[in-house]
Amino acid sequence: MSQRITILPETLTNKIAAGEVVERPASVIKELIENSLDAGATDISVEINAGGRRKICVTDNGHGMSREDALLSLERHATSKIKVDSDLGRILTLGFRGEALPSIASVSRFSLATREAVFPEGTEIIVEGGRVRDVRACGMAPGTVISVEQIFFNLPARLKFMKSAETEVGHVADTVARMSVSRPDVAFTCTSDGRELLRLQRSDLQRRLGQVVGRESFQHLYAVNGRDDYTTVTGFISSPELVRSGTQAIYTYINGRFVRDKVVQHAVMQSYRGVIDRGRYPVVALFIELPPEDVDVNVHPTKHEVRFRRQSVVHDAIQAAVEEVLRSSPWLKSPTVAAQTLNGVTSTAQAYRERIAAAAQASLSLPPPSPNWSQSEKQVGTAPFVPIISQEEITAVSEPAISFRPEQPCQESAGYFSSLSIIGQFHSEYILCQSDSELVIIDQHAASERVAFQLLKQQCHTGGIESQRLLFPETVELSFSEVAVAVKFIPDLARLGFELEPFGGTTIMISAVPRLVAQKNNILLIRDILADLERFGTSTAFNDALESLLSRIACHSVIRGAHLLENVQIKELFYHMDHTDFAASCPHGRPVSHVVTLAELQKIFKRT
Ligand code: ADP
Ligand code: MG
């Protein structure tokens, strides 16, 4: 019988493994920096030539290796980081697979020089395409220097896939930046063809991040501090003013390891939903700490992916921590509010939320602070709160059981919006205000939409959205698929305040709608909502579509386009904005306000 199977020689298996670990110069650098960090280095320098294709050199001041260890480190599956089976379940180092050095050495001309501080000299090992060519003593400072020349010289197929030197330089710089953010206590330098790309002194996270994402961006970053029994989520996130068109500035670390994980990314983006536009991504550096035995990092050789034992718990903890910051829109600076929060006193928005919750418990008929620009609720007679009409009309409206009106001053000091002095309205669409030396322009539609959206969300979570029966039920003709969707979601839509009933054939009868939209074009709204539900498809749970539906209702509840406002109505709106979470953007992620500084105006008028 002929023998078909042979065990491959190690030089070949290393080459095969290199295919996974060593994709390009940047992945070599990632592995080498991980090793330096695991070796306790506090100073790491990276030098590349021709984008790393000609040469990569990483020098560290870590604990180095003895001659024996240095030789062993080039063997496959040789590692100092795990010893027994059970260690795999509790990995505290960045490396553990014992694969990087032999893989890199098998596809390049490689040299490793290393010295332990207690010995007067170091060891240098020269390897070519996986074969050790020379081992000799060398004089050097304590630490390790690894040089990788002519990567893929013996893998022509791989060489062909290498991109231009500039592209590779970009990847290298990104890699060093990512790793440097995880360890601000370590100094990093990165030079390319003698040109310095990065020089990062030892510092704290805030400064390190500033150096990496750019100084001008730094002022838009806000600290995150979420902790529970299981997870800690700390770091910095950006305001909606600082966004990117891709995910490149989302730095997330699980127990100190940079990861590009779907769950983590989803949680971050979920928090920003409705705060920034679709297709835009925030700048984020988040450190998620959780018990190491609950994270499996052994999913892929590059260790960029992880698996969580309690995936949804981790997801929700990240989302909650990020939302906590975004909710109060800290970039809308109001000195009093900022000072209050700093002193540990709850912010006005939080106090308001607590009062709303208490009020909702005390009375089932909590009157909504109606943000819809309509006078018609007065005719309905039940709405207690009509902000967008004249002062006389307001006083004529019956007093609500509970109301939060500026005329009833509360103990809290004015929030950002209420502290603005109103200049007037522009084009009946924008409110112009002054705050110190800033001209603040507010999109009244976006603002009122956000108020309506948060109110609907609040109601949804405290017993359901307030519904209003229509005096004359309306019927709407739908397509077959729309009817099917409507019938399927009748109970869910009831939670949103809609009462629908099949009326024979493809007709549906609407007998009640959310109170906020009672006077609006309900047929249009119902069609939009059914189209949304159809688009989300049956695979999406109703709860996942909920926010979009609420934002749809909010959008219909406010008048679009121009609308003249009285000062009192503007104040009313501002009062509500100050008590609304995520007030800096409309539910679709568009900004609510824009600031023009005095300096900017002076520049326009050439006064500087
Ligand atoms: P791993 O990091 O998964 O253990 P590597 O192949 O990357 O595998 O490295 C093998 C071993 O070589 C490491 O476990 C470590 O003991 C040693 N080593 C590698 N790089 C360094 C370094 N820069 N300083 C000190 N020791 C190192
Ligand atoms: Mg390693």
Side-chain angles (χ1 to χ4, degrees):
M1 222 177 2
S2 70
Q3 188 185 344
R4 290 167 192 266
I5 300 178
T6 56
I7 292 182
L8 299 176
E10 196 168 298
T11 44
L12 186 50
T13 55
N14 282 340
K15 253 173 143 177
I16 293 170
E20 286 185 314
V21 182
V22 189
E23 190 197 341
R24 59 187 346 149
S27 35
V28 170
I29 288 167
K30 171 194 164 278
E31 294 295 335
L32 297 182
I33 295 180
E34 282 191 353
N35 283 346
S36 299
L37 291 172
D38 281 344
T42 54
D43 235 305
I44 299 175
S45 94
V46 176
E47 290 167 65
I48 54 168
N49 289 96
R53 297 156 43 146
R54 192 173 309 141
K55 185 173 178 188
I56 295 166
C57 184
V58 175
T59 307
D60 71 49
N61 65 347
H63 57 55
M65 284 179 268
S66 66
R67 188 185 179 94
E68 295 69 38
D69 273 356
L71 281 165
L72 258 183
S73 75
L74 298 168
E75 301 284 332
R76 187 101 181 273
H77 305 310
T79 180
S80 55
K81 299 170 194 177
I82 55 173
K83 293 209 156 38
V84 290
D85 229 19
S86 57
D87 290 343
L88 205 51
R90 265 192 77 85
I91 287 166
L92 300 169
T93 48
L94 295 168
F96 60 89
R97 300 171 64 99
E99 265 184 345
L101 293 191
S103 299
I104 298 166
S106 73
V107 294
S108 66
R109 301 186 204 279
F110 179 96
S111 88
L112 158 70
T114 186
R115 180 189 146 195
E116 288 179 299
V118 288
F119 290 103
E121 58 177 22
T123 308
E124 187 175 12
I125 305 174
I126 313 289
V127 187
E128 227 179 77
R131 291 200 168 76
V132 176
R133 297 280 184 224
D134 196 9
V135 183
R136 58 190 176 218
C138 69
M140 63 181 291
T144 301
V145 182
I146 290 180
S147 134
V148 179
E149 287 180 55
Q150 289 180 294
I151 184 172
F152 300 138
F153 80 98
N154 54 352
L155 275 187
R158 255 304 156 95
L159 206 52
K160 269 195 253 159
F161 284 101
M162 286 256 264
K163 298 280 186 286
S164 69
E166 297 80 62
T167 307
E168 298 300 343
V169 169
H171 285 291
V172 169
D174 282 350
T175 301
V176 179
R178 268 201 299 270
M179 302 192 78
S180 77
V181 169
S182 75
R183 291 294 301 274
D185 57 324
V186 174
F188 287 84
T189 57
C190 179
T191 51
S192 161
D193 296 322
R195 192 167 57 93
E196 201 169 83
L197 299 179
L198 287 168
R199 172 169 294 276
L200 306 165
Q201 317 284 357
R202 264 165 243 155
S203 81
D204 54 28
L205 175 62
Q206 200 163 1
R207 284 195 200 100
R208 174 62 54 91
L209 203 55
Q211 286 175 302
V212 169
V213 299
R215 261 176 233 295
E216 70 295 348
S217 316
F218 187 54
Q219 54 175 317
H220 301 296
L221 295 172
Y222 296 86
V224 175
N225 220 329
R227 279 164 214 281
D228 60 33
D229 298 344
Y230 186 66
T231 355
T232 316
V233 183
T234 53
F236 289 87
I237 61 165
S238 66
S239 72
E241 271 176 69
L242 180 62
V243 288
R244 301 277 156 94
S245 52
T247 55
Q248 68 273 26
I250 299 188
Y251 300 109
T252 51
Y253 303 83
I254 303 286
N255 293 345
R257 180 191 304 282
F258 174 81
V259 293
R260 214 178 270 118
D261 182 78
K262 282 199 203 77
V263 174
V264 175
Q265 199 138 317
H266 184 266
V268 171
M269 292 315 294
Q270 196 76 351
S271 322
Y272 273 91
R273 201 168 60 167
V275 175
I276 56 180
D277 256 344
R278 257 170 216 275
R280 293 276 174 266
Y281 300 84
V283 174
V284 164
L286 277 187
F287 294 85
I288 300 120
E289 304 288 331
L290 64 160
E293 60 272 21
D294 281 7
V295 198
D296 184 1
V297 287
N298 194 15
V299 179
H300 189 271
T302 60
K303 298 165 284 183
H304 273 156
E305 286 170 44
V306 290
R307 231 163 255 150
F308 299 110
R309 199 159 69 86
R310 298 169 68 189
Q311 178 171 310
S312 59
V313 176
V314 176
H315 178 281
D316 294 352
I318 298 169
Q319 190 176 341
V322 176
E323 275 187 1
E324 182 62 35
V325 178
L326 295 177
R327 177 173 290 127
S328 62
S329 316
W331 49 92
L332 297 178
K333 44 183 186 319
S334 162
T336 40
V337 172
Q340 276 186 339
T341 321
L342 268 182
N343 294 336
V345 180
T346 48
S347 68
T348 51
Q350 194 181 336
Y352 182 76
R353 274 200 303 280
E354 282 161 11
R355 281 166 53 192
I356 282 266
Q361 274 193 334
S363 156
L364 280 174
S365 57
L366 175 71
S370 163
N372 56 341
W373 311 103
S374 118
Q375 307 187 15
S376 42
E377 277 177 309
K378 202 171 66 136
Q379 296 141 20
V380 178
T382 47
F385 196 72
V386 187
I388 309 306
I389 49 172
S390 67
Q391 182 60 58
E392 303 81 71
E393 281 173 301
I394 284 184
T395 20
V397 175
S398 61
E399 270 304 306
I402 308 157
S403 99
F404 304 107
R405 305 257 297 263
E407 292 82 3
Q408 302 178 332
C410 46
Q411 297 308 307
E412 307 141 17
S413 55
Y416 172 76
F417 290 98
S418 303
S419 68
L420 300 172
S421 33
I422 302 163
I423 299 170
Q425 222 184 345
F426 172 69
H427 216 256
S428 301
E429 279 181 89
Y430 297 95
I431 304 164
L432 305 185
C433 305
Q434 181 179 332
S435 162
D436 297 327
S437 58
E438 292 178 340
L439 171 66
V440 184
I441 306 166
I442 290 158
D443 178 337
Q444 65 196 41
H445 174 82
S448 48
E449 211 180 331
R450 171 56 80 182
V451 172
F453 176 73
Q454 291 302 129
L455 180 76
L456 288 166
K457 227 169 126 176
Q458 173 91 33
Q459 288 183 348
C460 209
H461 292 143
T462 50
I465 289 178
E466 250 188 286
S467 175
Q468 179 158 330
R469 296 201 74 74
L470 299 176
L471 217 48
F472 304 104
E474 294 183 64
T475 53
V476 50
E477 280 287 329
L478 300 170
S479 70
F480 284 109
S481 56
E482 282 172 335
V483 173
V485 173
V487 171
K488 175 167 181 244
F489 288 106
I490 279 178
D492 295 303
L493 289 169
R495 266 172 61 207
L496 299 185
F498 292 99
E499 223 170 87
L500 306 180
E501 235 177 280
F503 201 62
T506 53
T507 310
I508 288 277
M509 187 170 76
I510 314 172
S511 43
V513 295
R515 186 148 88 157
L516 276 186
V517 291
Q519 305 304 317
K520 298 287 160 11
N521 186 337
N522 295 310
I523 293 181
L524 205 62
L525 173 59
I526 254 318
R527 278 191 196 284
D528 277 353
I529 285 197
L530 293 177
D532 285 345
L533 283 170
E534 213 176 348
R535 193 160 38 81
F536 289 122
T538 43
S539 56
T540 318
F542 186 80
N543 275 346
D544 292 339
L546 192 60
E547 297 234 336
S548 299
L549 298 178
L550 293 181
S551 108
R552 179 71 78 187
I553 301 172
C555 187
H556 276 258
S557 77
V558 295
I559 281 181
R560 286 163 237 206
H563 194 86
L564 203 61
L565 296 179
E566 303 268 339
N567 249 19
V568 64
Q569 297 167 321
I570 295 175
K571 281 189 184 148
E572 194 85 69
L573 173 65
F574 284 180
Y575 181 79
H576 286 276
M577 288 298 284
D578 281 332
H579 296 110
T580 293
D581 290 338
F582 306 101
S585 5
C586 84
H588 309 289
R590 287 189 291 271
V592 155
S593 62
H594 177 78
V595 170
V596 182
T597 62
L598 184 59
E600 284 168 320
L601 278 180
Q602 283 169 336
K603 213 166 149 196
I604 294 172
F605 291 104
K606 308 212 183 302
R607 276 175 175 257
T608 43

